[in-house]
Amino acid sequence: MNEQTPHPDAGHSVPPAFSSTPAASSAPVPDGATAPTTPIPPTGGYGIQAQAHQTQPVDPGHPGAHTGAAFGVAATTPQERKTKNGVGGGKIAAIIIAAALVGGLAGVGGAVGYGALTSSSSSSTKTGTGPSTVTVNNPESVSEATAIAAKAVPSVVTIEVSGSSASGSGSGIVLDKQGHILTNAHVVTLDGEVSNPAIRVTTSDGRILDATVVGIDATYDMAVIQVKDGSSLTPMEFADSSKLNVGSMTVAVGAPLGLANSVTTGIVSALNRSIQIQSSAAPSQGSNGDQQQSPNQDGSQQPFQFDIPGRGSGSQGAAATISISVIQTDAAINPGNSGGALVDSDGKLIGVNVAIASAGSSSSSSGQSGNIGVGFAIPSNIAKRIANDIIADGKATHGLLGATVQDASGQKGATVVGASIASVSSGGAAANAGIQAGDVVTGFNGNPITDASDLTAQVRSVAGGSTATLTINRNGQSQDIKVTLGTLAQ
């Protein structure tokens, strides 16, 4: 077996020209949106420790700090969650409805790393078909996963993207009745290969709709597209990802390898992870952005790269890397699952599938390795904030710390893990808050920080101008410092 190396599964680079302004009629997704066909009511850390090989802007944001008005999380009463019809001891209320059972195979190829979850090829790609309804042959032995799938599948779509020389498919999540659909930036741009794509959306019940791009956020590999008439779509309900536990049940829904309406199950394997992904679309900050220094000058740990099936790995001409906070899950995710849903035991969104670790050879353009039990999803709280910003303004903002950081563990005499402040920018957020060179950041808004990548991912996860609490270690003493973040230039 080849030695495993981190490799990002999703996230296409997005050319600057490929951003569109939302139509005047666009509106944020209403809070508390519920799936009309679902009888069950709603209920309600982030990043792999990866070190940057090259100096990269470290613009941490705050996780889920910006709640936005778009996606609400309704509460579920204990009585409503009682098991019905003798379906085991789980909380499987009457959610067995005519919905497509969507499975999760979002994967990537390439040497043990992250590969693009987008299934694509240089020739025309046909989306695979799947069951249009959840098949229940024996109602007396329905599983909890069946009930979850029945609720979530109608809110997940298959996205086909084509350009002059490339085509591919991924997955998407219905946000509202206005036709807004959330997916990954690398899905709608085929990892930067297409700047003016033709996009078609196939719903779980087999309808085909044309879509246009509302906006793309390359910093967190998110995008929102819109179909003309979304009145018949079923919006996905959002859960509060900050309340997740390791070990909680997860179900991945999407179109792995073009196989629409696929479902896989697993658990939350870890929280507060961060991964780095090479992206040619990442904004270059120069002297105006945070910088992340890598202690590994030998290049032993490279940033994760997008990997498209049949095309080898890495974004073409990737000039920078992005750091994103993720939920780790062992639910099977494979190419084509990018942009699809990771839901909880109530069928509510907890994450947007974005990447996986695979055990193939990233240097090979032929043959892809599938799921090995390590997949990643952008937490729903972060996805919600970014989606709301894109719908409202056509773009999202991200926090800026105004500092150069490096892994504390690589520094001589280190006593704690974290992100060590190498220098602060004059007049920047860090300097204004009294943060000094030599301080080690060990927490961000309550989330643990173990290295520079963690801090970058957390700072960028929150909106520009947000107030965040940094826990720092200075001369062996821990203290909390309030920081008003700047805004990352786009």
Side-chain angles (χ1 to χ4, degrees):
M1 176 180 291
N2 294 327
E3 180 179 356
Q4 295 190 354
T5 56
H7 169 75
D9 164 55
H12 289 311
S13 51
V14 182
F18 188 56
S19 63
S20 19
T21 302
S25 60
S26 297
V29 179
D31 288 336
T34 60
T37 55
T38 302
I40 287 193
T43 57
Y46 309 102
I48 285 176
Q49 297 178 14
Q51 299 170 343
H53 172 55
Q54 300 177 336
T55 297
Q56 155 191 344
V58 169
D59 236 343
H62 91 250
H66 180 92
T67 56
F71 317 103
V73 179
T76 299
T77 65
Q79 184 174 7
E80 290 172 322
R81 297 173 59 171
K82 287 183 179 179
T83 301
K84 297 185 178 182
N85 300 323
V87 182
K91 39 191 172 185
I92 312 175
I95 56 179
I96 304 302
I97 57 177
L101 184 63
V102 179
L105 295 165
V108 320
V112 181
Y114 296 98
L117 298 183
T118 301
S119 176
S120 63
S121 64
S122 58
S123 59
S124 178
T125 299
K126 294 183 179 179
T127 300
T129 58
S132 59
T133 60
V134 175
T135 301
V136 179
N137 291 319
N138 185 358
E140 296 302 318
S141 61
V142 168
S143 70
E144 183 174 11
T146 305
I148 296 170
K151 180 176 182 178
V153 167
S155 299
V156 178
V157 300
T158 300
I159 299 174
E160 295 178 86
V161 179
S162 61
S164 59
S165 61
S167 63
S169 67
S171 305
I173 302 161
V174 177
L175 297 179
D176 56 27
K177 291 288 187 177
Q178 285 71 52
H180 292 113
I181 295 171
L182 180 64
T183 186
N184 292 137
H186 74 264
V187 170
V188 297
T189 64
L190 296 184
D191 200 14
E193 292 192 44
V194 178
S195 61
N196 186 27
I199 304 174
R200 295 201 314 170
V201 169
T202 302
T203 63
S204 63
D205 58 3
R207 287 174 294 128
I208 299 176
L209 309 170
D210 291 330
T212 56
V213 175
V214 174
I216 291 175
D217 180 60
T219 300
Y220 241 82
D221 191 42
M222 302 299 298
V224 174
I225 62 176
Q226 184 175 23
V227 296
K228 186 175 182 180
D229 182 8
S231 60
S232 61
L233 298 179
T234 303
M236 173 72 74
E237 294 183 56
F238 278 63
D240 184 348
S241 56
S242 69
K243 296 182 178 180
L244 289 173
N245 296 321
V246 170
S248 294
M249 181 178 185
T250 61
V251 174
V253 182
L257 305 177
L259 301 174
N261 301 339
S262 298
V263 177
T264 55
T265 64
I267 61 170
V268 172
S269 300
L271 298 168
N272 300 310
R273 293 290 193 201
S274 66
I275 59 175
Q276 288 186 351
I277 306 175
Q278 286 190 343
S279 172
S280 60
S284 177
Q285 296 305 308
S287 60
N288 297 320
D290 299 329
Q291 298 295 317
Q292 180 171 315
Q293 298 179 342
S294 170
N296 294 343
Q297 300 303 319
D298 60 355
S300 58
Q301 277 193 296
Q302 298 287 339
F304 305 141
Q305 298 180 353
F306 300 137
D307 189 13
I308 304 299
R311 283 198 171 85
S313 63
S315 298
Q316 298 298 319
T321 60
I322 59 175
S323 292
I324 62 176
S325 294
V326 292
I327 296 166
Q328 182 180 328
T329 180
D330 65 348
I333 295 177
N334 287 285
N337 267 122
S338 286
L342 186 70
V343 302
D344 62 13
S345 58
D346 292 309
K348 298 169 122 177
L349 188 75
I350 57 174
V352 179
N353 298 324
V354 66
I356 66 170
S358 64
S361 173
S362 60
S363 61
S364 174
S365 61
S366 62
Q368 299 293 326
S369 293
N371 168 71
I372 60 170
V374 183
F376 303 97
I378 298 170
S380 59
N381 287 3
I382 298 175
K384 176 197 303 184
R385 196 272 297 179
I386 293 174
N388 281 336
D389 284 356
I390 291 176
I391 292 172
D393 304 317
K395 62 181 181 180
T397 64
H398 298 276
L400 179 68
L401 184 60
T404 297
V405 298
Q406 53 195 352
D407 294 349
S409 60
Q411 306 306 304
K412 183 178 180 180
T415 59
V416 295
V417 297
S420 177
I421 302 295
S423 64
V424 296
S425 302
S426 178
N432 292 339
I435 294 176
Q436 305 171 8
D439 289 344
V440 176
V441 180
T442 59
F444 184 91
N445 283 342
N447 295 311
I449 300 298
T450 61
D451 57 21
S453 179
D454 278 350
L455 183 57
T456 300
Q458 292 296 327
V459 171
R460 290 180 178 175
S461 72
V462 300
S466 298
T467 298
T469 299
L470 271 66
T471 301
I472 67 166
N473 184 288
R474 179 181 294 171
N475 299 322
Q477 300 296 316
S478 180
Q479 61 179 291
D480 289 340
I481 296 180
K482 292 283 187 181
V483 180
T484 299
L485 299 172
T487 301
L488 182 71
Q490 305 261 355

